[in-house]
């Protein structure tokens, strides 16, 4: 079990050279990594102070209010710095370029002031089979002193050949028809500009080439650059009001090609008080193609 402690979050300028080095071919492969075995590792920042400038920029690009509180998705973004270091410094068994962010869950146990000094811990977890390869989680916990105030799970897919790959018996993909929004339901249509990937990368530190420019995205099989999944989740949540404690689960569906216009449709959030659960979805504004499916549960 590896436990590493950092005085602050690693800077992207220090991390990306290691990421690039990890992508270079190595004679004989990574001898430390065991095939399809996750490292037992936890990376920690014990006294994490939020950078107010970065937080303010994050609020602006996602649409969150400047209310003195940490937005629900912000710690998920900060944890990616530790995640990248874990993948390049530990015996990580999968190619980073092949990873697909397929789902994200965040749980906020109480409102968190942006002035609080917290402890962040990130660990690998829950390696399991998927019909397209292997899935695993990064689990993040945030503590204020000894109190667990926030936790999140980011699920990634490593595409690999499986017994079901190319099978004629595989179930065809289905697309749920976009519903019509009722009068009191959550409903918003908004534009996603062509440069949102570059702008969000500067704030989040996620410079994955599929988000930066159409030219670099085409090298990975996309016709255009695509929006960050965590930006699309944050943008949706910025249009909602939340109770004191809640969980938001999201599954990322089809990518948002840039530029685009998208449509958010969801249950009236007043239903949270009645049923404790509401659902929301993000679609292309031009057709029924789904980009994101989410569920909010009141704690």
């Amino acid at each position: 079990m590896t436990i590493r402690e950092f005085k602050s979050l690693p800077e992207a300028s220090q991390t990306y050279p290691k990421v690039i080095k990890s992508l270079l071919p190595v004679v004989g492969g990574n001898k430390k990594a065991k095939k399809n075995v996750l490292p037992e590792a936890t990376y920690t920042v014990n006294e994490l102070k939020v950078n107010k400038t970065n937080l303010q920029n994050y609020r602006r690009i996602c649409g969150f209010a400047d209310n003195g509180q940490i937005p629900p998705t912000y710690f998920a973004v900060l944890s990616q710095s530790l995640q990248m270091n874990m993948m390049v410094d530990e015996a990580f068994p999968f190619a980073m370029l092949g990873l697909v962010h397929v789902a994200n869950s965040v749980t906020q146990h109480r409102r968190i002031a942006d002035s609080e000094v917290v402890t962040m811990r990130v660990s690998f977890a829950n390696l399991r089979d998927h019909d397209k390869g292997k899935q695993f989680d990064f689990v993040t916990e945030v503590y204020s002193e000894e109190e667990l105030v926030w936790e999140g799970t980011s699920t990634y897919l490593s595409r690999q050949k499986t017994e079901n790959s190319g099978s004629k018996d595989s179930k065809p993909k289905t697309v749920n028809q976009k519903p019509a929004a009722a009068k009191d339901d959550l409903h918003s249509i908004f534009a996603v500009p062509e440069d949102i990937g570059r702008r969000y990368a500067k704030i989040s530190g996620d410079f994955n080439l599929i988000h930066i420019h159409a030219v670099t995205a085409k090298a990975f099989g996309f016709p255009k650059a695509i929006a960050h999944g965590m930006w699309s989740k944050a943008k949706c949540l910025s249009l909602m009001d939340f109770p004191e404690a809640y969980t938001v689960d999201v599954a990322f569906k089809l990518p948002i090609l840039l530029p685009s216009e998208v449509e958010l449709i969801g249950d009236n959030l007043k239903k949270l008080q009645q049923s404790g659960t509401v659902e929301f979805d993000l679609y292309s504004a031009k057709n029924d193609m789904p980009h994101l499916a989410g569920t909010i549960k009141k704690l």
Side-chain angles (χ1 to χ4, degrees), residues 17-240:
K18 293 192 294 183
V19 172
I20 294 172
K21 184 178 179 180
S22 73
L23 301 178
L24 299 176
V26 178
V27 177
N30 184 351
K31 296 182 180 180
K32 295 189 302 177
K34 297 181 180 179
K35 185 177 181 180
N36 294 335
V37 175
L38 284 178
E40 294 184 7
T42 298
Y43 283 22
T44 302
V45 180
N46 285 321
E47 295 185 358
L48 176 59
K49 299 178 181 179
V50 171
N51 182 307
K52 294 295 183 65
T53 300
N54 180 263
L55 174 58
Q56 190 67 354
N57 289 335
Y58 180 80
R59 286 171 173 148
R60 289 195 188 101
I61 199 168
C62 297
F64 289 110
D66 181 5
N67 58 4
Q69 298 172 11
I70 298 293
T73 49
Y74 189 58
F75 284 130
V77 172
L78 295 186
S79 70
Q80 291 176 341
S81 173
L82 293 176
Q83 292 174 20
M84 285 192 293
N85 278 269
M86 292 171 73
M87 287 188 283
V88 296
D89 289 342
E90 301 299 322
F92 185 64
F94 307 122
M96 291 180 65
L97 283 181
L99 296 180
V100 181
H101 194 182
V102 295
N104 177 268
S105 174
V106 300
T107 296
Q108 184 165 296
H109 294 282
R110 66 164 173 80
R111 295 186 177 92
I112 307 166
D114 57 20
S115 58
E116 293 189 49
V117 179
V118 298
T119 295
M120 175 180 285
R121 298 172 186 164
V122 181
S123 303
F124 291 110
N126 197 19
L127 179 66
R128 68 267 197 197
D129 292 327
H130 185 275
D131 59 3
K132 293 183 179 180
K134 293 285 186 180
Q135 278 190 347
F136 69 96
D137 298 332
F138 278 111
V139 176
T140 302
E141 296 177 326
V142 176
Y143 292 85
S144 180
E145 296 182 347
E146 299 300 320
E147 177 191 9
L148 178 64
V149 294
W150 188 97
E151 54 189 316
T153 300
S154 293
T155 300
Y156 288 89
L157 168 67
S158 173
R159 290 176 175 170
Q160 302 175 16
K161 289 185 177 181
T162 66
E163 294 181 358
N164 295 328
S165 297
S167 173
K168 295 182 180 180
D169 296 328
S170 298
K171 294 182 180 179
K173 292 182 179 180
T174 58
V175 177
N176 295 330
Q177 184 175 1
K178 181 166 61 178
K183 180 180 178 181
D184 295 328
D185 281 352
L186 175 68
H187 186 220
S188 179
I189 298 176
F190 55 91
V192 186
E194 185 275 335
D195 65 345
I196 193 66
R198 295 186 291 276
R199 289 164 50 205
Y200 184 78
K202 292 178 181 179
I203 296 167
S204 68
D206 183 355
F207 286 90
N208 190 321
L209 296 178
I210 61 177
H211 304 302
I212 304 304
H213 196 277
V215 173
T216 54
K218 286 178 181 178
F220 297 94
F222 295 96
K224 298 180 179 180
I226 66 174
H228 293 75
M230 286 305 297
W231 175 85
S232 63
K233 178 177 182 177
K235 181 62 178 179
C236 290
L237 299 189
S238 73
L239 300 171
M240 309 177 194

